[in-house]
Amino acid sequence: MRILKGLFSKVDQLLTGRRPVDDELFDELEDTLIQADLSVRTAAKLVDALRQQSRSKRLHEVEEIKECLKSLLKEILVSNGDQRIKQPSQKPSVYLFVGVNGVGKTTTIAKLAHRFKNQGFRVLLSAADTFRAAAVDQMEIWANRVGVDIVKHRPGADPGAVVFDSIQAAAARGIDAVLIDTAGRLHTKSNLMQELAKVGRICRKALDRDPDETILVLDATTGQNAVNQAREFTAAVPVTGIALAKLDGTAKGGIVVTIKDELGLPIKLVATGEQLDDLDDFDAEEFVDALFED
Ligand SMILES: Nc1nc2c(ncn2[C@@H]2O[C@H](COP(=O)(O)OP(=O)(O)OP(=O)(O)O)[C@@H](O)[C@H]2O)c(=O)[nH]1
Ligand SMILES: [Mg+2]
């Protein structure tokens, strides 16, 4: 994983050097965690656990509190076992991408297509964001740049039909992975959720199973709003993991912890830039260690 250092630098500063481990420290720590984009609930839960541990283990050094905090964070982030995005295994494996407009869906799809292609898989992009006129063109530009197939219809076409055609074309051509782009905005939010639910049903009809992954793309710079988005999308489609984009654009890292803690959704991918190589698997151990480094 590309290391993003210092996303917890204020927390790190607070827990460095000599100062008493007392109520004042814990209160300040809770505030600092919230400033680093943890939700109030996750911050309170962590600080309560730290207070208890400091009592039961008689911790008197702030550095000891820091180590405890790191292990608590890792515990949250690694729970539920394997978090990696599935490799293509059946022809075709289907990856459905959802998320509100502008979060980084199309770019993340292009990056994953690039990765799979470099690993020797045959990839097809499915341009099922037919709502925004420019979306199909944008997808085509990426398909050409990455050097993979694309299935597209006219802007305004039924996204369900695009998805169905994509899966059929992929099966006929012996494609390994179909990456489906979807709209991030329709006339209303309920329209969007209904459309995504329909796209999910069409995938099931064409495949006889759920998509292999349904990835919700979130923008790391939106803070707590990302948690609300995750709640809405998981109600409409069975999300299997999160891709967190634009982690290079934030000086905070807490949202990663809160998404996992409050929604139980694994973070599978992190994107840290606009280039095709700027996509990595999420590694919880490395992530937590890097939070505290300068
Ligand atoms: N810095 C940075 N920019 C990113 C990243 N991912 C995407 N972007 C930029 O964010 C903007 C939106 O990205 P898109 O991939 O078009 O987002 P989208 O979700 O497909 O947006 P809609 O199609 O409008 O719903 C573009 O300018 C991207 O270059 C990232 O990881 N880091
Ligand atoms: Mg898009």
Side-chain angles (χ1 to χ4, degrees), residues 98-109 111 129 132 135 138 142 181-185 217 219 244-249 270-275 278:
V98 300
V100 303
N101 58 308
V103 287
K105 288 181 298 299
T106 306
T107 315
T108 303
I109 289 169
K111 291 170 182 171
D129 177 1
R132 197 167 57 83
Q138 195 188 353
W142 279 119
D181 194 21
T182 59
R185 187 172 60 85
V217 184
D219 176 341
L244 194 64
K246 308 190 197 180
L247 202 55
D248 56 310
V270 289
T272 51
E274 296 182 273
Q275 304 303 313
D278 296 331

Side-chain angles (χ1 to χ4, degrees), residues 130-256:
T130 58
F131 181 73
R132 197 167 57 83
V136 177
D137 294 340
Q138 195 188 353
M139 201 65 178
E140 191 152 40
I141 291 169
W142 279 119
N144 289 335
R145 200 177 295 170
V146 178
V148 294
D149 288 5
I150 179 171
V151 165
K152 58 171 186 150
H153 290 187
R154 263 175 296 107
D158 173 16
V162 179
V163 167
F164 199 82
D165 281 0
S166 302
I167 293 174
Q168 289 216 314
R173 296 180 205 170
I175 296 278
D176 297 292
V178 179
L179 276 51
I180 303 172
D181 194 21
T182 59
R185 187 172 60 85
L186 291 188
H187 299 292
T188 69
K189 203 185 279 173
S190 76
N191 277 350
L192 176 63
M193 296 307 163
Q194 276 168 22
E195 178 172 296
L196 292 177
K198 183 176 159 201
V199 164
R201 283 197 300 278
I202 285 170
C203 283
R204 275 194 292 284
K205 196 166 138 200
L207 284 170
D208 250 346
R209 61 172 200 275
D210 276 327
D212 299 274
E213 294 271 14
T214 298
I215 299 293
L216 171 64
V217 184
L218 296 172
D219 176 341
T221 66
T222 56
Q224 293 305 308
N225 213 355
V227 182
N228 300 333
Q229 288 169 19
R231 288 218 167 85
E232 284 165 11
F233 280 86
T234 47
V237 281
V239 173
T240 57
I242 303 287
L244 194 64
K246 308 190 197 180
L247 202 55
D248 56 310
T250 175
K252 306 165 175 187
I255 196 64
V256 172

Side-chain angles (χ1 to χ4, degrees), residues 37-57:
D37 260 356
L38 263 87
S39 69
V40 172
R41 183 155 38 150
T42 307
K45 184 175 113 173
L46 282 169
V47 172
D48 282 350
L50 289 172
R51 278 184 207 267
Q52 272 177 17
Q53 290 195 12
S54 82
R55 251 179 269 129
S56 62
K57 296 182 186 164

